[in-house]
Amino acid sequence: MEARAIQRGVRQSARKMRLVIDLIRDCAVPEADAILRFSKKRAARQIHKVLKSAVANAQQAAQRQNTPFDADTLRVSYAVVNEGQTLKRFTAAAMGRGTPILKRTSHVEIRVAGEAAPVAAAPSTKPADAKAEAKAKAKPRAKKAPAAKAKKKKKKTTKKASK
């Protein structure tokens, strides 16, 4: 089960928000929730809203499919902050000039996915003896000579050729 939530146009720079989003990437949802709740960064509040929305979307998807749902088993599988549209403003400067002010925005996307149940390995059709027979049939590999011995052999042949 996978669900996602996106918030666009958050009035904070993507660079500052990435510092917080890196803390929760690949975490369990309860752990990510605790990290965001007690973080001192302003971005944590916006990211916490998106995380709660993604969990709610996962719950709704589980209800639609009539499957059991437990938010504690969810993990943050994908969390990214991209740059949004930059608002361009000007402020007064010396000698009648204007200097630009760039008000940056960002887009937050979080995907949560349920942890997959461990799949039991299917029993192999070949018995264990067949594996041993296959190993015995395999051709043995030739051993390589060490590099030092190979160099000595080359030197001996060159000396004989020079005489």
Side-chain angles (χ1 to χ4, degrees), residues 2 14 17 27 33 41 50 52 56-57 68-69 72 86 92 96 100 102 104 111 127 131 134 148 154:
E2 184 174 286
M17 295 193 77
C27 285
D33 185 48
K41 298 277 190 181
V50 179
K52 283 181 11 183
N57 291 344
F69 177 76
D72 294 339
T86 301
L102 301 177
R104 302 192 184 269
R111 291 185 197 155
K131 289 181 182 178
K154 287 182 182 178

Side-chain angles (χ1 to χ4, degrees), residues 28-117:
V29 167
E31 183 183 348
D33 185 48
I35 290 169
L36 293 173
R37 189 176 300 147
F38 296 109
S39 176
K40 292 182 179 181
K41 298 277 190 181
R42 180 174 165 253
R45 176 171 278 171
Q46 293 296 326
I47 293 171
H48 190 252
K49 284 182 184 180
V50 179
L51 179 66
K52 283 181 11 183
S53 179
V55 171
N57 291 344
Q59 183 179 8
Q60 288 297 314
Q63 279 184 346
R64 269 186 256 119
Q65 295 174 0
N66 200 18
T67 57
F69 177 76
D70 185 16
D72 294 339
T73 61
L74 293 176
R75 292 191 75 77
V76 178
S77 61
Y78 179 82
V80 70
V81 175
N82 295 318
E83 288 184 21
Q85 187 176 13
T86 301
L87 306 174
K88 294 173 177 85
R89 304 290 185 260
F90 287 92
T91 186
M95 293 188 255
R97 277 179 263 172
T99 56
I101 295 175
L102 301 177
K103 296 188 175 189
R104 302 192 184 269
T105 64
S106 54
H107 304 317
V108 182
E109 181 178 357
I110 295 178
R111 291 185 197 155
V112 293
E115 293 181 13

